[in-house]
Amino acid sequence: MYYSIHNDRTHFAALGFDWKQIVAVFGDSMDTRFDVNQAPRSYAGSWNPEITVTFSNAGGLTGSAIPDIAEHQGRLFISAKAYDLLYPLLKNDGEFLPVTCADGNGYMFNPLRLAEELGALNEAHCVKNEWDEVEHIAFHEDKLTSVTAFRTEFDDYLSLFCNEKLKQAIEQHQLTGVTFNTNLGNPGGLATNGPH
């Protein structure tokens, strides 16, 4: 079974970036900025390890606790504690980019594995509505056995999908900040578990 990963906004603060710092490092083009361009490209060669992430309660629209994990446009903030536990599962699926935050250091996990490259997108069961909004995404699970986390061009790389192993590791170690949804392509659907 595969899941999409979403922020638990009820309990945890929203992840953000210092846009001035991002522009200083990557330029002001939307095509190169890490904070607004979710395309699956490597940033390891241009990354500045001093990049800072922030957490805020978005004017009361989210919780205020700092999460162990936060999703941002198909990428994950991973705290130092979560990194030690999740690196073995995710190391082959993307790159870990160091960041600093108010309560220490962490990483942005930038996933680089795509369902299309693996022949895993089940196009016959993928649906967009008349406004080109994604309603359903399906995968050929037998093509994903070597992958823990991946994205798809079908939703413009906005969602991160994962297997049961990653979900279980996050739950077993009580890492906070995200929920999982089996209704792929529908972030508004019900999560499969309680807050984390």
Side-chain angles (χ1 to χ4, degrees), residues 45-67:
S46 59
W47 194 257
N48 180 331
E50 302 301 314
I51 287 177
T52 302
V53 296
T54 58
F55 291 95
S56 70
N57 74 345
L61 299 175
T62 67
S64 56
I66 304 299

Side-chain angles (χ1 to χ4, degrees), residues 25-170:
V25 174
F26 300 109
D28 59 5
S29 169
M30 296 295 195
D31 292 334
T32 58
R33 285 177 49 182
F34 183 83
D35 61 331
V36 294
N37 186 333
Q38 68 272 10
R41 56 176 282 222
S42 173
Y43 283 88
S46 59
W47 194 257
N48 180 331
E50 302 301 314
I51 287 177
T52 302
V53 296
T54 58
F55 291 95
S56 70
N57 74 345
L61 299 175
T62 67
S64 56
I66 304 299
D68 293 316
I69 304 169
E71 188 273 338
H72 177 75
Q73 297 184 350
R75 300 178 176 124
L76 295 180
F77 163 80
I78 298 178
S79 70
K81 168 188 165 186
Y83 172 82
D84 290 340
L85 298 164
L86 301 182
Y87 176 80
L89 290 172
L90 294 171
K91 65 182 179 180
N92 296 322
D93 297 332
E95 57 192 10
F96 289 87
L97 307 167
V99 294
T100 59
C101 57
D103 63 344
N105 297 322
Y107 295 85
M108 288 302 301
F109 172 65
N110 181 29
L112 299 173
R113 301 293 291 272
L114 299 178
E116 287 81 359
E117 290 177 356
L118 300 161
L121 186 68
N122 187 344
E123 295 182 50
H125 294 282
C126 291
V127 179
K128 289 184 179 179
N129 64 23
E130 61 267 34
W131 299 285
D132 208 34
E133 298 168 333
V134 174
E135 291 189 347
H136 187 72
I137 299 176
F139 301 107
H140 297 292
E141 296 190 9
D142 59 318
K143 304 276 180 77
L144 294 167
T145 55
S146 65
V147 180
T148 300
F150 60 95
R151 295 191 286 172
T152 177
E153 186 178 5
F154 188 77
D155 74 345
D156 294 323
Y157 316 110
L158 280 171
S159 301
L160 182 62
F161 303 96
C162 73
N163 65 13
E164 187 75 35
K165 287 181 183 176
L166 185 65
K167 178 179 181 285
Q168 286 179 357
I170 290 170

